[in-house]
Amino acid sequence: MISTKGRYALRVMVDLAEQNTDSYTPLGEIAARQEISEKYLEIILKTLVKEKLLKGLRGKGGGYKLTRSPSEYTVWEILTLTEGTLATVACLAQDAEDCARSPKCRTLPMWREFDKMVYEYFSHITLEELAQGFAAL
């Protein structure tokens, strides 16, 4: 399940992409539009700035803005940054220890295929598409 943090991070990134501006957008404006508490939003924004998805500026005229074009961000990138992993089962998580059952596990190939589909789906949706009103095929 995608957490609130991941969903809110996507909403914030889409919000900034929709602003289509090179100027900084204040935290309060983003929080108001997205109906997210400023306190919680600060935590999410801090992560996005630290990983260079956003640029932050303090003080008068400050706020946040994208560091790249919306077409250069993918949903996969944003979600894995905020969620850590989107692995369906623990044994497929990036830092998972080897499972003694994996050689004989009849379900493991299915989970691998499912994770591959999730990756392929989210890695092909850009922030630009979401900001323009994503329409699934």
Side-chain angles (χ1 to χ4, degrees):
M1 183 183 308
I2 310 268
S3 71
T4 303
K5 186 177 181 182
R7 293 191 324 266
Y8 285 6
L10 270 175
R11 284 173 43 190
V12 166
M13 296 294 286
V14 170
D15 185 287
L16 291 171
E18 287 174 334
Q19 302 315 305
N20 197 21
T21 180
D22 201 31
S23 61
Y24 290 88
T25 303
L27 170 77
E29 287 182 20
I30 301 167
R33 279 194 299 267
Q34 294 304 314
E35 299 175 345
I36 302 171
S37 82
E38 288 188 28
K39 198 100 170 138
Y40 191 47
L41 190 55
E42 283 177 339
I43 296 166
I44 294 167
L45 291 168
K46 184 177 181 179
T47 300
L48 297 171
V49 168
K50 180 182 173 200
E51 297 299 324
K52 299 185 180 3
L53 270 66
L54 295 180
K55 194 181 272 188
L57 181 66
R58 294 178 186 245
K60 188 170 172 64
Y64 298 89
K65 68 178 181 176
L66 301 176
T67 57
R68 312 187 301 250
S69 164
S71 65
E72 296 176 38
Y73 294 91
T74 67
V75 169
W76 178 261
E77 173 186 23
I78 297 163
L79 287 178
T80 55
L81 172 70
T82 54
E83 296 294 319
T85 182
L86 296 180
T88 309
V89 290
C91 61
L92 292 177
Q94 192 171 25
D95 297 332
E97 292 185 28
D98 290 336
C99 174
R101 290 199 38 81
S102 63
K104 57 187 171 206
C105 181
R106 297 290 187 210
T107 62
L108 187 56
M110 173 190 67
W111 295 125
R112 279 190 180 124
E113 188 63 25
F114 184 76
D115 281 3
K116 180 180 167 189
M117 289 187 314
V118 170
Y119 167 76
E120 288 174 356
Y121 182 73
F122 285 144
S123 67
H124 288 92
I125 300 171
T126 67
L127 196 55
E128 180 178 56
E129 291 172 313
L130 292 177
Q132 292 176 352
F134 177 77
L137 299 175

